[in-house]
Amino acid sequence: MLLILTGSSCAGKTTLARALGDRVPDIAIHDHDEIGVPEDADVQWRNRTTEQWIGRALKYQDRGIDVLLTGQSPLGEILASPSAPQLDGIAVCLVDVDDEERRRRLDRRDNGLWSPAVLDSFVRWGAWHRGHAEDPRYRPEVIIDGSWPEMAWDRWSDWTKDDPRWNTHLLDTTGRPTTQCVDDLMRWVMRQRNACRTGELALTKGWTDIEP
């Protein structure tokens, strides 16, 4: 299956994924941007690159290996990617942090690189992720407008927040030790893998055939 760690910058996605690698067997851990990020990276680039990663996950799937992918693509983008229905299972976790802590981490990590306006954009993107995780009808235009024409947004455009397939797990790292967050993430991963293999996962193969 494909497990996604998503969210805005400096919530801890990469740190948690790296720490998880030594603790979970038969899982390949990758970062969305390791393919390479062009200077003109935009929404369409993110869409196309996400589709590339789904293609790679399908190759891992053929070998019986799950993939954990860190990035900034939310649930709606994953589901709209052309090849997503071919995956045996999909699960998404939003790794989040409160706004002020995100600002502090960005400033500390990047040594004052970002202007206040850019910091605000990171914070707004994080807030949008929270709304999207809760409700598919929360400002979908943010990811749909200007997107790659191959994206199949109509797969979930009629869903409501009560649809069991619209399920993003929230992992809040604010003020918490990394070890504790890694433990939480490991438990989430194991639950999703078990649900996929027992047929209890909502986003298992065939999810596009279910009427909302």
Side-chain angles (χ1 to χ4, degrees), residues 170-188:
L170 176 63
L171 200 169
D172 192 337
T173 64
T174 308
R176 303 179 65 212
T178 298
T179 52
Q180 188 179 80
C181 294
V182 173
D183 288 343
D184 288 350
L185 179 60
M186 184 178 71
R187 284 190 287 268
W188 174 77

Side-chain angles (χ1 to χ4, degrees), residues 9-154:
S9 296
C10 268
K13 300 184 296 293
T14 302
T15 299
L16 296 179
R18 287 173 178 167
L20 191 74
D22 296 330
R23 302 177 60 177
V24 179
D26 299 322
I27 192 166
I29 297 177
H30 291 283
D31 181 82
H32 181 278
D33 293 351
E34 70 186 56
I35 287 178
V37 183
E39 291 185 4
D40 60 347
D42 58 9
V43 173
Q44 291 200 22
W45 168 81
R46 189 173 72 228
N47 297 158
R48 293 191 302 270
T49 305
T50 298
E51 172 64 10
Q52 288 183 51
W53 276 114
I54 291 174
R56 293 188 180 195
L58 289 169
K59 292 179 180 178
Y60 276 114
Q61 181 173 285
D62 290 341
R63 296 158 51 197
I65 298 173
D66 297 327
V67 173
L68 179 75
L69 180 68
T70 64
Q72 299 202 19
S73 294
L75 177 59
E77 282 189 351
I78 302 300
L79 300 185
S81 296
S83 300
Q86 299 176 42
L87 292 162
D88 286 343
I90 301 169
V92 177
C93 174
L94 172 59
V95 182
D96 199 21
V97 66
D98 73 37
D99 295 345
E100 291 310 308
E101 178 62 18
R102 191 186 306 278
R103 291 178 190 274
R104 285 192 292 270
R105 291 183 186 182
L106 282 162
D107 192 57
R108 184 168 62 245
R109 185 191 71 179
D110 299 327
N111 196 26
L113 173 65
W114 308 113
S115 68
V118 174
L119 288 174
D120 286 344
S121 71
F122 285 124
V123 169
R124 287 195 301 270
W125 180 227
W128 181 86
H129 267 278
R130 291 179 211 125
H132 179 78
E134 178 69 22
D135 190 340
R137 298 184 178 183
Y138 177 78
R139 300 184 60 203
E141 72 279 0
V142 169
I143 52 173
I144 293 176
D145 290 354
S147 61
W148 185 33
E150 299 299 315
M151 300 293 279
W153 302 110
D154 59 346

Side-chain angles (χ1 to χ4, degrees), residues 192-206:
Q192 305 317 303
R193 296 175 91 183
N194 183 64
C196 184
R197 287 158 191 172
T198 59
E200 299 174 42
L201 188 72
L203 287 170
T204 193
K205 189 172 285 187

